[in-house]
Amino acid sequence: SPILQYTKAQADLMAKSLKDRYGIEAKTYIGMRYWYPFTEEALEQIKKDGINALVILPLYPQFSISTSGSSLRVLQEEFAKNVDVYGPKKMFHTVIPSWYDRPGYVKSVADLIQKELDSFTPEEITEGTSEGQPFPKHVLFSAHGVPASYIEAGDPYRDQIIDCVERIKALLPSEEDGVKVHLSFQSRVGPVEWLRPYTDDVLPELGEQGVKNLVVVPISFVSEHIETLEEIDIEYRELALESGIMNWRRSPALNTDATFIQDMADMVADALSEPSQSITEACVANNVGNLELESVSNQMEISSAGVMGVGFDDDLAGRARLRKALFKN
């Protein structure tokens, strides 16, 4: 999986953007939830570097108890066990729980989708309505699924996904322009009920409706990894072709998209001037305590992101209390 490679590149480019556009000298740290470098390793390095202010920025645009929430709980436990190092008297921190609604993020995703929509040839567009299908082009947002019980427990993920898709859809051609948008959920595991509709159910249904031209968008992911490169590019593409969807396109993950990188830097700069939100406050606001951390970890093994950090020099302390480090989860 190239996820760590892309995460490192995102961290480096974001730090460069902070320096070039805001004059902020920043360090970066990366910590993963389920693989090296683990969150605990990143915290140890932050400790060694004497970081005294921290912005926690999840790499999950939409908040879920199973992703950002799980990672924040790990940080919460580490902070509680090491108050002499990470407590408020030693290190100030703030959290950006979700950022799916930021205009820069929304535009960067929409721009990538538009490139794929523009790639359909005149012949493919004609083929798109050959079987009575009223829309020559279709876009399927495939989001990572979560167990339905999480939503019932107050997880805001589904609502944020729907809102996110609507925001991106507003920047794309409308149905009157020949583009129909759909939403589904992928990567379910185990016997429990997950968010519906499932991507592997939606693709055959689209085929039955005569859809020929489809752009699939991995909306929950900001980096290429196994769930985009294998599950979408291989498994779902094969299913789509078997279902009669002949002209397949896949919008790339954001990776190092320039608009996305700039927006991440803007998020950091914004966080330095906005009221802070602690890890505990972010967990309470998003109902993280409604599920046990162990049950989340056992049911979800999402490999899509971890944590990254950016540290700032002491001479910036007067400009903003937080300008010492950014920690990205």
Side-chain angles (χ1 to χ4, degrees):
S1 172
I3 185 171
L4 183 56
Q5 172 189 342
Y6 279 119
T7 303
K8 289 179 177 178
Q10 289 164 349
D12 292 344
L13 290 170
M14 181 175 60
K16 184 178 186 301
S17 182
L18 283 168
K19 180 179 180 180
D20 293 348
R21 298 169 54 241
Y22 292 98
I24 298 175
E25 294 282 352
K27 295 179 182 179
T28 62
Y29 304 88
I30 297 171
M32 296 289 181
R33 180 66 178 91
Y34 296 110
W35 193 244
Y36 300 102
F38 289 113
T39 301
E40 294 82 356
E41 297 175 60
L43 286 175
E44 185 63 28
Q45 188 60 52
I46 287 172
K47 175 183 175 181
K48 290 179 181 178
D49 290 346
I51 298 305
N52 59 27
L54 198 62
V55 178
I56 301 169
L57 172 59
L59 273 179
Y60 311 101
Q62 305 85 13
F63 191 99
S64 174
I65 295 171
S66 61
T67 53
S68 300
S70 177
S71 294
L72 289 179
R73 285 285 292 274
V74 172
L75 288 173
Q76 189 179 40
E77 291 183 354
E78 290 297 316
F79 283 16
K81 288 188 298 185
N82 300 278
V83 177
D84 58 324
V85 178
Y86 307 118
K89 293 183 179 180
K90 290 291 185 178
M91 188 181 73
F92 189 84
H93 76 270
T94 190
V95 180
I96 305 173
S98 63
W99 39 274
Y100 69 92
D101 54 351
R102 288 184 61 88
Y105 164 73
V106 171
K107 183 179 186 302
S108 62
V109 177
D111 287 347
L112 291 174
I113 296 171
Q114 189 62 58
K115 289 180 182 178
E116 299 303 320
L117 288 171
D118 292 342
S119 73
F120 289 114
T121 66
E123 292 77 15
E124 289 173 333
I125 293 174
T126 299
E127 183 182 8
T129 56
S130 62
E131 296 183 9
Q133 168 56 234
F135 305 104
K137 301 178 184 180
H138 292 253
V139 176
L140 174 61
F141 288 89
S142 185
H144 200 295
V146 299
S149 59
Y150 289 14
I151 306 303
E152 296 168 2
D155 192 326
Y157 178 72
R158 179 177 58 187
D159 288 344
Q160 291 188 4
I161 283 287
I162 293 172
D163 188 16
C164 180
V165 168
E166 287 300 314
R167 291 170 185 269
I168 297 169
K169 178 181 175 181
L171 299 182
L172 299 175
S174 65
E175 292 185 5
E176 289 73 19
D177 297 317
V179 177
K180 175 72 172 178
V181 171
H182 312 266
L183 171 63
S184 61
F185 298 89
Q186 66 179 82
S187 307
R188 71 185 187 278
V189 293
V192 299
E193 179 74 9
W194 284 52
L195 286 181
R196 291 179 181 268
Y198 302 143
T199 300
D200 51 8
D201 287 339
V202 170
L203 289 171
E205 291 173 359
L206 292 178
E208 291 176 0
Q209 296 167 17
V211 171
K212 300 298 180 185
N213 303 318
L214 181 66
V215 178
V216 176
V217 184
I219 191 58
S220 306
F221 313 106
V222 297
S223 301
E224 303 292 0
H225 64 296
I226 191 169
E227 285 159 328
T228 60
L229 299 175
E230 180 175 318
E231 189 170 14
I232 293 179
D233 287 355
I234 297 177
E235 296 176 14
Y236 289 155
R237 184 176 185 273
E238 181 178 347
L239 177 59
L241 292 174
E242 292 175 351
S243 302
I245 303 172
M246 306 310 299
N247 306 314
W248 167 278
R249 305 285 192 278
R250 204 264 284 175
S251 183
L254 290 168
N255 299 323
T256 57
D257 176 82
T259 302
F260 171 54
I261 296 298
Q262 179 173 311
D263 195 51
M264 284 205 299
D266 291 342
M267 271 192 280
V268 176
D270 291 346
L272 299 177
S273 60
E274 296 172 350
S276 64
Q277 183 175 30
S278 70
I279 292 175
T280 298
E281 289 170 338
C283 287
V284 171
N286 291 281
N287 302 309
V288 173
N290 291 358
L291 285 173
E292 290 298 324
L293 180 61
E294 182 179 356
S295 69
V296 171
S297 298
N298 287 343
Q299 293 189 52
M300 302 289 290
E301 295 185 358
I302 300 174
S303 60
S304 50
V307 271
M308 176 211 309
V310 179
F312 305 91
D313 294 333
D314 289 336
D315 60 4
L316 292 174
R319 293 169 57 185
R321 289 185 65 198
L322 302 180
R323 286 183 177 169
K324 184 64 177 169
L326 163 69
F327 194 79
K328 188 174 186 181
N329 186 1

PDB file of all heavy atoms in Angstrom, residues 47 54 60 66 73 81 86 104 111 116 141 143 159 178 182 206 212 226 231 258 273 285 289 300 309-310:
ATOM      1  N   LYS A  47       7.491  14.494  21.976  1.00  0.00           N
ATOM      2  CA  LYS A  47       8.040  14.699  23.322  1.00  0.00           C
ATOM      3  C   LYS A  47       9.518  15.066  23.254  1.00  0.00           C
ATOM      4  O   LYS A  47       9.972  16.015  23.909  1.00  0.00           O
ATOM      5  CB  LYS A  47       7.834  13.429  24.150  1.00  0.00           C
ATOM      6  CG  LYS A  47       8.466  13.463  25.530  1.00  0.00           C
ATOM      7  CD  LYS A  47       8.270  12.125  26.234  1.00  0.00           C
ATOM      8  CE  LYS A  47       8.999  12.090  27.571  1.00  0.00           C
ATOM      9  NZ  LYS A  47       8.827  10.765  28.245  1.00  0.00           N
ATOM     10  N   LEU A  54      -0.176  21.859  19.880  1.00  0.00           N
ATOM     11  CA  LEU A  54      -0.471  20.782  18.950  1.00  0.00           C
ATOM     12  C   LEU A  54      -1.824  20.989  18.280  1.00  0.00           C
ATOM     13  O   LEU A  54      -2.816  21.201  18.967  1.00  0.00           O
ATOM     14  CB  LEU A  54      -0.492  19.469  19.740  1.00  0.00           C
ATOM     15  CG  LEU A  54      -0.368  18.150  19.017  1.00  0.00           C
ATOM     16  CD1 LEU A  54       0.951  18.028  18.298  1.00  0.00           C
ATOM     17  CD2 LEU A  54      -0.506  17.023  20.031  1.00  0.00           C
ATOM     18  N   TYR A  60      -9.067  11.842   7.889  1.00  0.00           N
ATOM     19  CA  TYR A  60     -10.407  11.421   7.484  1.00  0.00           C
ATOM     20  C   TYR A  60     -11.258  12.688   7.351  1.00  0.00           C
ATOM     21  O   TYR A  60     -11.537  13.343   8.359  1.00  0.00           O
ATOM     22  CB  TYR A  60     -11.040  10.504   8.536  1.00  0.00           C
ATOM     23  CG  TYR A  60     -10.170   9.373   9.001  1.00  0.00           C
ATOM     24  CD1 TYR A  60      -9.487   9.455  10.216  1.00  0.00           C
ATOM     25  CD2 TYR A  60     -10.030   8.208   8.240  1.00  0.00           C
ATOM     26  CE1 TYR A  60      -8.696   8.412  10.668  1.00  0.00           C
ATOM     27  CE2 TYR A  60      -9.237   7.163   8.684  1.00  0.00           C
ATOM     28  CZ  TYR A  60      -8.574   7.264   9.902  1.00  0.00           C
ATOM     29  OH  TYR A  60      -7.794   6.232  10.340  1.00  0.00           O
ATOM     30  N   SER A  66     -15.430   5.222  14.302  1.00  0.00           N
ATOM     31  CA  SER A  66     -14.537   4.117  13.958  1.00  0.00           C
ATOM     32  C   SER A  66     -13.205   4.567  13.386  1.00  0.00           C
ATOM     33  O   SER A  66     -12.269   3.770  13.324  1.00  0.00           O
ATOM     34  CB  SER A  66     -15.227   3.203  12.939  1.00  0.00           C
ATOM     35  OG  SER A  66     -15.519   3.929  11.762  1.00  0.00           O
ATOM     36  N   ARG A  73      -9.356   8.614  20.665  1.00  0.00           N
ATOM     37  CA  ARG A  73      -9.400   7.911  21.947  1.00  0.00           C
ATOM     38  C   ARG A  73      -8.005   7.426  22.349  1.00  0.00           C
ATOM     39  O   ARG A  73      -7.651   7.442  23.535  1.00  0.00           O
ATOM     40  CB  ARG A  73     -10.373   6.732  21.867  1.00  0.00           C
ATOM     41  CG  ARG A  73     -11.837   7.115  21.887  1.00  0.00           C
ATOM     42  CD  ARG A  73     -12.318   7.517  23.274  1.00  0.00           C
ATOM     43  NE  ARG A  73     -12.319   6.367  24.185  1.00  0.00           N
ATOM     44  CZ  ARG A  73     -13.325   5.504  24.292  1.00  0.00           C
ATOM     45  NH1 ARG A  73     -14.425   5.659  23.555  1.00  0.00           N
ATOM     46  NH2 ARG A  73     -13.264   4.495  25.124  1.00  0.00           N
ATOM     47  N   LYS A  81      -2.435   9.336  30.553  1.00  0.00           N
ATOM     48  CA  LYS A  81      -1.388   8.572  31.233  1.00  0.00           C
ATOM     49  C   LYS A  81      -0.118   9.388  31.433  1.00  0.00           C
ATOM     50  O   LYS A  81       0.714   9.052  32.283  1.00  0.00           O
ATOM     51  CB  LYS A  81      -1.055   7.303  30.430  1.00  0.00           C
ATOM     52  CG  LYS A  81      -2.127   6.234  30.477  1.00  0.00           C
ATOM     53  CD  LYS A  81      -1.663   4.943  29.840  1.00  0.00           C
ATOM     54  CE  LYS A  81      -1.342   5.113  28.365  1.00  0.00           C
ATOM     55  NZ  LYS A  81      -0.995   3.804  27.710  1.00  0.00           N
ATOM     56  N   TYR A  86       1.977  15.735  28.302  1.00  0.00           N
ATOM     57  CA  TYR A  86       0.972  16.202  27.353  1.00  0.00           C
ATOM     58  C   TYR A  86      -0.165  16.984  28.002  1.00  0.00           C
ATOM     59  O   TYR A  86      -1.105  17.383  27.320  1.00  0.00           O
ATOM     60  CB  TYR A  86       0.379  15.014  26.588  1.00  0.00           C
ATOM     61  CG  TYR A  86       1.417  14.136  25.944  1.00  0.00           C
ATOM     62  CD1 TYR A  86       1.554  12.795  26.311  1.00  0.00           C
ATOM     63  CD2 TYR A  86       2.277  14.633  24.971  1.00  0.00           C
ATOM     64  CE1 TYR A  86       2.501  11.983  25.725  1.00  0.00           C
ATOM     65  CE2 TYR A  86       3.242  13.826  24.390  1.00  0.00           C
ATOM     66  CZ  TYR A  86       3.350  12.502  24.777  1.00  0.00           C
ATOM     67  OH  TYR A  86       4.298  11.701  24.192  1.00  0.00           O
ATOM     68  N   GLY A 104     -12.182  24.392  -0.176  1.00  0.00           N
ATOM     69  CA  GLY A 104     -10.996  23.923  -0.893  1.00  0.00           C
ATOM     70  C   GLY A 104     -11.006  22.428  -1.116  1.00  0.00           C
ATOM     71  O   GLY A 104     -10.673  21.944  -2.204  1.00  0.00           O
ATOM     72  N   ASP A 111     -12.975  18.895  -8.988  1.00  0.00           N
ATOM     73  CA  ASP A 111     -12.103  19.087 -10.146  1.00  0.00           C
ATOM     74  C   ASP A 111     -11.591  17.756 -10.697  1.00  0.00           C
ATOM     75  O   ASP A 111     -11.514  17.552 -11.914  1.00  0.00           O
ATOM     76  CB  ASP A 111     -10.914  19.979  -9.776  1.00  0.00           C
ATOM     77  CG  ASP A 111     -11.305  21.446  -9.601  1.00  0.00           C
ATOM     78  OD1 ASP A 111     -12.426  21.810 -10.000  1.00  0.00           O
ATOM     79  OD2 ASP A 111     -10.483  22.214  -9.058  1.00  0.00           O
ATOM     80  N   GLU A 116     -12.453  13.352 -15.148  1.00  0.00           N
ATOM     81  CA  GLU A 116     -12.891  12.029 -15.593  1.00  0.00           C
ATOM     82  C   GLU A 116     -14.156  12.132 -16.439  1.00  0.00           C
ATOM     83  O   GLU A 116     -14.300  11.435 -17.449  1.00  0.00           O
ATOM     84  CB  GLU A 116     -13.121  11.123 -14.385  1.00  0.00           C
ATOM     85  CG  GLU A 116     -11.890  10.880 -13.530  1.00  0.00           C
ATOM     86  CD  GLU A 116     -10.731  10.299 -14.315  1.00  0.00           C
ATOM     87  OE1 GLU A 116     -10.968   9.430 -15.189  1.00  0.00           O
ATOM     88  OE2 GLU A 116      -9.584  10.720 -14.065  1.00  0.00           O
ATOM     89  N   PHE A 141     -20.329   7.851  -5.906  1.00  0.00           N
ATOM     90  CA  PHE A 141     -19.475   8.082  -4.742  1.00  0.00           C
ATOM     91  C   PHE A 141     -19.504   6.820  -3.896  1.00  0.00           C
ATOM     92  O   PHE A 141     -20.563   6.419  -3.406  1.00  0.00           O
ATOM     93  CB  PHE A 141     -19.992   9.268  -3.925  1.00  0.00           C
ATOM     94  CG  PHE A 141     -19.788  10.606  -4.579  1.00  0.00           C
ATOM     95  CD1 PHE A 141     -20.749  11.117  -5.440  1.00  0.00           C
ATOM     96  CD2 PHE A 141     -18.644  11.351  -4.329  1.00  0.00           C
ATOM     97  CE1 PHE A 141     -20.569  12.360  -6.042  1.00  0.00           C
ATOM     98  CE2 PHE A 141     -18.454  12.581  -4.925  1.00  0.00           C
ATOM     99  CZ  PHE A 141     -19.411  13.093  -5.788  1.00  0.00           C
ATOM    100  N   ALA A 143     -18.278   5.386  -0.536  1.00  0.00           N
ATOM    101  CA  ALA A 143     -17.719   5.754   0.762  1.00  0.00           C
ATOM    102  C   ALA A 143     -17.432   4.503   1.580  1.00  0.00           C
ATOM    103  O   ALA A 143     -18.082   3.469   1.405  1.00  0.00           O
ATOM    104  CB  ALA A 143     -18.709   6.647   1.519  1.00  0.00           C
ATOM    105  N   ASP A 159     -24.399  11.304   7.951  1.00  0.00           N
ATOM    106  CA  ASP A 159     -24.892  12.643   7.632  1.00  0.00           C
ATOM    107  C   ASP A 159     -23.800  13.490   6.986  1.00  0.00           C
ATOM    108  O   ASP A 159     -24.068  14.270   6.068  1.00  0.00           O
ATOM    109  CB  ASP A 159     -25.414  13.339   8.893  1.00  0.00           C
ATOM    110  CG  ASP A 159     -26.724  12.742   9.388  1.00  0.00           C
ATOM    111  OD1 ASP A 159     -27.379  12.018   8.606  1.00  0.00           O
ATOM    112  OD2 ASP A 159     -27.081  12.992  10.552  1.00  0.00           O
ATOM    113  N   GLY A 178     -26.912  16.094 -18.084  1.00  0.00           N
ATOM    114  CA  GLY A 178     -26.635  14.704 -18.443  1.00  0.00           C
ATOM    115  C   GLY A 178     -25.805  13.914 -17.455  1.00  0.00           C
ATOM    116  O   GLY A 178     -25.277  12.857 -17.797  1.00  0.00           O
ATOM    117  N   HIS A 182     -24.795   9.155  -7.693  1.00  0.00           N
ATOM    118  CA  HIS A 182     -25.244   8.082  -6.804  1.00  0.00           C
ATOM    119  C   HIS A 182     -24.287   7.990  -5.614  1.00  0.00           C
ATOM    120  O   HIS A 182     -23.141   8.425  -5.693  1.00  0.00           O
ATOM    121  CB  HIS A 182     -25.264   6.734  -7.529  1.00  0.00           C
ATOM    122  CG  HIS A 182     -25.927   6.763  -8.872  1.00  0.00           C
ATOM    123  ND1 HIS A 182     -27.261   6.448  -9.052  1.00  0.00           N
ATOM    124  CD2 HIS A 182     -25.432   7.077 -10.109  1.00  0.00           C
ATOM    125  CE1 HIS A 182     -27.563   6.554 -10.340  1.00  0.00           C
ATOM    126  NE2 HIS A 182     -26.471   6.939 -10.990  1.00  0.00           N
ATOM    127  N   LEU A 206     -27.064  -0.525 -11.511  1.00  0.00           N
ATOM    128  CA  LEU A 206     -26.788   0.473 -12.545  1.00  0.00           C
ATOM    129  C   LEU A 206     -26.670  -0.190 -13.909  1.00  0.00           C
ATOM    130  O   LEU A 206     -27.148   0.339 -14.921  1.00  0.00           O
ATOM    131  CB  LEU A 206     -25.510   1.251 -12.211  1.00  0.00           C
ATOM    132  CG  LEU A 206     -25.574   2.167 -10.983  1.00  0.00           C
ATOM    133  CD1 LEU A 206     -24.218   2.824 -10.742  1.00  0.00           C
ATOM    134  CD2 LEU A 206     -26.652   3.226 -11.149  1.00  0.00           C
ATOM    135  N   LYS A 212     -23.788   2.952 -18.967  1.00  0.00           N
ATOM    136  CA  LYS A 212     -22.585   2.542 -19.691  1.00  0.00           C
ATOM    137  C   LYS A 212     -21.344   3.340 -19.267  1.00  0.00           C
ATOM    138  O   LYS A 212     -20.239   2.839 -19.335  1.00  0.00           O
ATOM    139  CB  LYS A 212     -22.785   2.713 -21.208  1.00  0.00           C
ATOM    140  CG  LYS A 212     -23.933   1.895 -21.780  1.00  0.00           C
ATOM    141  CD  LYS A 212     -23.703   0.403 -21.587  1.00  0.00           C
ATOM    142  CE  LYS A 212     -24.865  -0.419 -22.163  1.00  0.00           C
ATOM    143  NZ  LYS A 212     -24.705  -1.865 -21.888  1.00  0.00           N
ATOM    144  N   ILE A 226      -5.067   0.099  -0.385  1.00  0.00           N
ATOM    145  CA  ILE A 226      -5.621  -1.177  -0.838  1.00  0.00           C
ATOM    146  C   ILE A 226      -7.107  -1.080  -1.172  1.00  0.00           C
ATOM    147  O   ILE A 226      -7.597  -1.768  -2.072  1.00  0.00           O
ATOM    148  CB  ILE A 226      -5.353  -2.277   0.221  1.00  0.00           C
ATOM    149  CG1 ILE A 226      -5.692  -3.655  -0.377  1.00  0.00           C
ATOM    150  CG2 ILE A 226      -6.148  -2.010   1.493  1.00  0.00           C
ATOM    151  CD1 ILE A 226      -5.223  -4.803   0.483  1.00  0.00           C
ATOM    152  N   GLU A 231      -9.808  -3.032  -4.062  1.00  0.00           N
ATOM    153  CA  GLU A 231     -11.260  -3.213  -3.958  1.00  0.00           C
ATOM    154  C   GLU A 231     -12.003  -2.484  -5.082  1.00  0.00           C
ATOM    155  O   GLU A 231     -12.900  -3.039  -5.717  1.00  0.00           O
ATOM    156  CB  GLU A 231     -11.755  -2.729  -2.600  1.00  0.00           C
ATOM    157  CG  GLU A 231     -13.208  -3.088  -2.336  1.00  0.00           C
ATOM    158  CD  GLU A 231     -13.622  -2.814  -0.899  1.00  0.00           C
ATOM    159  OE1 GLU A 231     -12.885  -2.115  -0.175  1.00  0.00           O
ATOM    160  OE2 GLU A 231     -14.700  -3.300  -0.500  1.00  0.00           O
ATOM    161  N   ALA A 258      -2.725  19.836  -5.659  1.00  0.00           N
ATOM    162  CA  ALA A 258      -2.274  21.150  -5.189  1.00  0.00           C
ATOM    163  C   ALA A 258      -3.358  21.891  -4.411  1.00  0.00           C
ATOM    164  O   ALA A 258      -3.083  22.520  -3.370  1.00  0.00           O
ATOM    165  CB  ALA A 258      -1.800  21.987  -6.369  1.00  0.00           C
ATOM    166  N   SER A 273      -5.870  30.409  14.837  1.00  0.00           N
ATOM    167  CA  SER A 273      -6.532  31.654  15.226  1.00  0.00           C
ATOM    168  C   SER A 273      -7.953  31.448  15.746  1.00  0.00           C
ATOM    169  O   SER A 273      -8.564  32.387  16.252  1.00  0.00           O
ATOM    170  CB  SER A 273      -6.580  32.612  14.022  1.00  0.00           C
ATOM    171  OG  SER A 273      -7.291  32.034  12.936  1.00  0.00           O
ATOM    172  N   ALA A 285     -18.453  15.790  21.589  1.00  0.00           N
ATOM    173  CA  ALA A 285     -19.291  16.421  20.572  1.00  0.00           C
ATOM    174  C   ALA A 285     -19.708  15.449  19.483  1.00  0.00           C
ATOM    175  O   ALA A 285     -20.761  15.612  18.864  1.00  0.00           O
ATOM    176  CB  ALA A 285     -18.551  17.608  19.949  1.00  0.00           C
ATOM    177  N   GLY A 289     -17.873   8.456  23.042  1.00  0.00           N
ATOM    178  CA  GLY A 289     -18.024   7.660  24.246  1.00  0.00           C
ATOM    179  C   GLY A 289     -19.190   6.702  24.216  1.00  0.00           C
ATOM    180  O   GLY A 289     -19.331   5.865  25.114  1.00  0.00           O
ATOM    181  N   MET A 300     -13.624  -2.800  13.229  1.00  0.00           N
ATOM    182  CA  MET A 300     -13.123  -1.975  12.135  1.00  0.00           C
ATOM    183  C   MET A 300     -11.619  -2.086  12.036  1.00  0.00           C
ATOM    184  O   MET A 300     -10.914  -1.827  12.988  1.00  0.00           O
ATOM    185  CB  MET A 300     -13.499  -0.507  12.363  1.00  0.00           C
ATOM    186  CG  MET A 300     -14.982  -0.265  12.489  1.00  0.00           C
ATOM    187  SD  MET A 300     -15.844  -0.478  10.939  1.00  0.00           S
ATOM    188  CE  MET A 300     -15.236   0.937  10.052  1.00  0.00           C
ATOM    189  N   GLY A 309       1.964  15.260  12.236  1.00  0.00           N
ATOM    190  CA  GLY A 309       2.103  16.463  13.048  1.00  0.00           C
ATOM    191  C   GLY A 309       3.038  17.477  12.425  1.00  0.00           C
ATOM    192  O   GLY A 309       3.943  17.123  11.688  1.00  0.00           O
ATOM    193  N   VAL A 310       2.793  18.736  12.744  1.00  0.00           N
ATOM    194  CA  VAL A 310       3.662  19.810  12.285  1.00  0.00           C
ATOM    195  C   VAL A 310       4.043  20.670  13.464  1.00  0.00           C
ATOM    196  O   VAL A 310       3.163  21.154  14.172  1.00  0.00           O
ATOM    197  CB  VAL A 310       2.963  20.688  11.224  1.00  0.00           C
ATOM    198  CG1 VAL A 310       3.881  21.807  10.784  1.00  0.00           C
ATOM    199  CG2 VAL A 310       2.534  19.846  10.044  1.00  0.00           C
TER     200      VAL A 310
END
